[in-house]
Amino acid sequence: MNLKTIHISNMPIECHILKGRLESEGIECYIFDENLVWVHPFRSVAIGGVKLMVPEDQYDKAKQVLQAIQDVNLVDDAGSYAMEDAVNGAMEKEDEILHIKSILRHDPELLDQPEKIEKKLISTKELEDLITAEKQFLKLSQRDKTPSIGELIHELTDFNFDVLKNLRPNPTEYYLEKEDVENFTHQKKDFGIVSCPHCASTNVRFDDAIDYKWDIPYLFFSLITMVPFPPIRHKYHCFNCGKDFKVKHHSNQNNS
């Protein structure tokens, strides 16, 4: 098998990262001279660096993948896409999925009326799968989570301490799914986007305040307890500019 060098670097880790990317495309990869560079990093230039090599008949495909990485593109069998456009498209699709889930949880009757659900980005098959998953979620949410006295006595006398399972009787995925949709509802109430009034970024989250923790109630409780009291006010926090802000009314307006 004839090998051809496709990338040279003074850092072995860089070759390993590219090797993993190429192998994900079904391209065989081999790294040469990395051990010498690990032992004697300053000899990397003298030996011509660490070489990433691929079979000669796969060189053109590998070159295309590396060029796409350099151009910040994504490549698949259908073609090449700008990574930013692909990521934005995926985020818009995920927002639509969370939007539909939020609607279904506010109006479960729509589970049996999929034709009334508006969709733009997801396919009919994806909507069917989503509805199936939401029906299962609804069943789990309606489960009786209160153990009987007999069950408690039995589990408490069991050395395996299985009584702890009654604290979270549903699968972990149920709670993760529940939290995702609840956060989406807080973030985009009435399906409008909350943006920061300081920098207009939409990278915000409704949680404990950070900038407003040094207020009178905070200091008062800290003095009484003699320990720093945790933030007690909830506001939106912008991860772009670091500011906290309040939204008087959740609406479709970008700024409040």
Side-chain angles (χ1 to χ4, degrees):
M1 178 173 58
N2 295 327
L3 297 177
K4 192 172 181 179
T5 301
I6 193 169
H7 185 76
I8 298 175
S9 174
N10 292 327
M11 298 179 290
I13 190 64
E14 181 180 334
C15 289
H16 278 281
I17 292 173
L18 296 177
K19 178 175 181 286
R21 178 66 181 89
L22 292 174
E23 287 179 339
S24 69
E25 298 290 338
I27 301 172
E28 297 180 47
C29 299
Y30 304 90
I31 297 178
F32 290 85
D33 296 329
E34 69 164 320
N35 291 331
L36 183 58
V37 173
W38 281 122
V39 176
H40 299 288
F42 295 107
R43 295 187 181 181
S44 177
V45 176
I47 63 174
V50 183
K51 293 91 174 172
L52 177 63
M53 306 184 76
V54 299
E56 193 170 11
D57 59 345
Q58 294 182 308
Y59 180 83
D60 291 339
K61 182 179 179 181
K63 197 70 176 176
Q64 181 185 7
V65 173
L66 294 188
Q67 185 62 46
I69 295 174
Q70 185 176 351
D71 296 339
V72 198
N73 287 339
L74 297 176
V75 178
D76 60 19
D77 294 336
S80 178
Y81 312 90
M83 186 176 296
E84 183 178 359
D85 294 340
V87 171
N88 289 338
M91 291 177 63
E92 290 175 2
K93 186 173 182 178
E94 183 64 22
D95 277 353
E96 181 172 280
I97 291 173
L98 291 172
H99 175 175
I100 294 174
K101 287 182 177 180
S102 183
I103 290 176
L104 292 174
R105 294 183 191 181
H106 283 88
D107 187 5
E109 293 183 359
L110 290 174
L111 289 169
D112 298 319
Q113 301 173 336
E115 67 279 357
K116 293 185 178 181
I117 300 174
E118 294 184 11
K119 60 181 179 65
K120 297 179 180 178
L121 302 176
I122 66 173
S123 66
T124 301
K125 178 63 168 60
E126 289 172 325
L127 179 60
E128 292 174 354
D129 293 340
L130 190 155
I131 289 176
T132 301
E134 283 302 299
K135 287 181 177 179
Q136 180 63 26
F137 180 90
L138 183 61
K139 289 180 180 179
L140 291 174
S141 66
Q142 293 174 343
R143 285 178 56 185
D144 182 9
K145 303 177 180 62
T146 306
S148 65
I149 298 298
E151 289 174 334
L152 281 174
I153 293 176
H154 172 75
E155 300 298 348
L156 285 171
T157 56
D158 185 357
F159 291 106
N160 291 329
F161 295 101
D162 289 339
V163 69
L164 296 177
K165 71 183 181 182
N166 290 308
L167 298 177
R168 292 174 68 93
N170 290 332
T172 302
E173 292 77 12
Y174 167 85
Y175 299 98
L176 293 174
E177 175 73 15
K178 184 172 183 289
E179 182 180 357
D180 282 345
V181 176
E182 287 177 351
N183 286 340
F184 176 82
T185 304
H186 269 301
Q187 172 85 1
K188 300 181 179 179
K189 190 70 173 177
D190 297 331
F191 314 117
I193 300 176
V194 176
S195 60
C196 175
H198 305 285
C199 66
S201 171
T202 56
N203 186 18
V204 301
R205 181 182 176 89
F206 185 78
D207 211 331
D208 293 324
I210 297 175
D211 293 348
Y212 294 88
K213 64 182 180 180
W214 293 108
D215 53 17
I216 294 176
Y218 178 90
L219 293 174
F220 176 75
F221 286 113
S222 295
L223 289 174
I224 290 179
T225 59
M226 300 301 293
V227 294
F229 203 79
I232 57 178
R233 298 182 187 276
H234 286 77
K235 292 183 175 66
Y236 283 93
H237 178 73
C238 176
F239 293 94
N240 186 52
C241 66
K243 299 289 186 179
D244 287 343
F245 61 95
K246 290 193 291 187
V247 175
K248 293 182 180 180
H249 301 286
H250 296 286
S251 66
N252 291 332
Q253 297 176 350
N254 284 341
N255 295 320
S256 298

